[in-house]
Amino acid sequence: MDEALLRTLTPTVIGVLGRRGAGFAAAEDAVQEALVEALRVWPDDPPRDPQGWLVTVAWRKFLDAVRADTSRRRREIVVDEEPARGPGAEVDDTLQLYFLCAHPSLTPASAVALTLRAVGGLTTRQIAQAYLVPEATMAQRISRAKRTVSGVRFDQPGDVATVLRVLYLIFNEGYSGDVDLSAEAIRLARLLAARTHHAEVAGLLALMLLHHARRPARTRPDGSLVPLAEQDRGRWDTRLIAEGVEVLQAALARDRLGEFQAQAAIAALHADARSAEETDWVQIVEWYDELVRLTESPVARLNRAVAVGEADGPPAGLAALAELDPSLPRHAAVAAYLHERNGNLGTAARLYAEAARAAPNLPEREHLTRQAARLNAELRS
Amino acid sequence: MAKYLLLKHYRGAPAAVNDVPMDQWSPEEVMAHVQYMNDFARRLEGTGEFVDEQALSPRGGWVRYDGEGRPPVTDGPFAETKDLIAGWMVIDVDTYERALALAGELSAAPGAGGKPIHEWLEVRPFLGAPPTITE
């Protein structure tokens, strides 16, 4: 069965129900029910017209739900709770869904869940599995999110920046369970990029493609992390890199620079180097300068210190690091790396151990512990 | 979102404010306590923040590998074990501050005299998955 097709059709079908007068919350519920039924029925009995099938079943689910609300008064509230849009309105339903699901009134976790369901066409169960929470919890998170946006008009343009933030979060979650969230984020970013001419949408898509290209080389079969410098670049996906670079160049040509384009430019420079030694660190530092200017982000400053260490030598990197707050996440890890490059192995070993204790996830902790162990063994011999 | 473990101890935590052993409460006080805990979990399910809760028996022992082909060695339980975990709740929340606020509410569960126990709960962040974008 073509589950990908099912996902692609989801926002369209929600849009169709919206045009017929269903409010967002009710339409989304009905389409989710139709989706679950499709997953059950289609493998044995594939429809000739998948979209028509979904519209028919979802509309019936919607009408059932309305009828189930026995009180006529309640029924009017259901239909009136959100302004329905009449036919012929010149609005892109799918684009509006992106804006609604990433509405600023939602918490990041709610926006992520709602986007994956209403725009991504994932079932509640799949989203719950991806985020390792019970299905009931995820169902509640989604219905609360829908209540939160229930007063939002469905036909006003939203803020692209909040949508990008949500897609970035989904991409960064990576792969867990049977849903590849990185691939899903790329799919949603492509869909969005096809509907807007926003340079940062292209910037984020390029960033995702360039990082996704490295995925085969990022981890060993046992799940441990391979640092960028040690990755087998022959395993990077050259097709994704080529696409990412092309998307990025088109975005940069629009001359509306933003943080995602700057990050993508850094990823593109890494992708461009055939070996770690050939990396153009001087240009990478320049892009980090742009990124710091655009975002004031302490994480960008920390990564900039690493790049400065590569471009101008470890002492310069340490000098750049000295200007930053030592309580920043991963500060000790960066300090350890620069100290080792500078030949201070004892200090580096101590800092790697400190960084391992503060690591926010298991693969990083194990990587840092191995670094400390490697240096301590070297110091003993 | 990040997951946190709210850890409840039989022993090992600093003394609670309302520090009366549960077997000294009235049956109604015990029921009120259980009701509070259940309501709390259901409410977190409703806010989309609940992941798991489990209670542990205070009984149990120590076990370790004793070499190829030999059965594992067991020992204990030790009556003097300083740290004895009673159970946990796992939550999935937006911020550390939210985790602290929820742990605070859980610690207010009623005990003897129907008054909050003010027991100390340990809040521990999970080690999650590494982010895809690292530089």
Side-chain angles (χ1 to χ4, degrees), chain A residues 107 109 131-134 137 140-141 144 168 171-172 174 182 211 214 218 270 288 303 359-363 365, chain B residues 1 3 42-52 92-94 98 126-135:
Chain A
T107 63
Y131 286 92
L132 306 172
V133 300
T137 296
Q140 286 294 344
R141 199 177 285 174
R144 271 173 76 94
Y168 182 89
F171 179 77
N172 230 0
S182 291
H211 276 271
R214 289 188 217 154
R218 268 188 79 221
H270 284 300
Y288 272 121
N303 289 328
N361 62 68
L362 208 49
R365 184 173 76 183
Chain B
M1 290 298 264
K3 293 192 179 67
R42 293 299 80 74
R43 188 154 54 80
L44 286 199
E45 222 173 72
T47 57
E49 295 172 310
F50 177 84
V51 180
D52 182 37
D92 190 25
V93 292
D94 272 309
R98 175 70 178 159
F126 274 45
L127 289 177
T132 310
I133 297 171
T134 47
E135 84 259 349

Side-chain angles (χ1 to χ4, degrees), chain B residues 11-12 44 46-48 53 55 66 74 77-80 82 90-91 102 107 116:
Chain B
R11 279 202 299 273
L44 286 199
T47 57
E53 70 173 327
D66 197 39
T74 59
F78 302 110
E80 71 277 18
K82 287 202 185 74
V90 177
I91 57 175
L102 290 175
S107 160

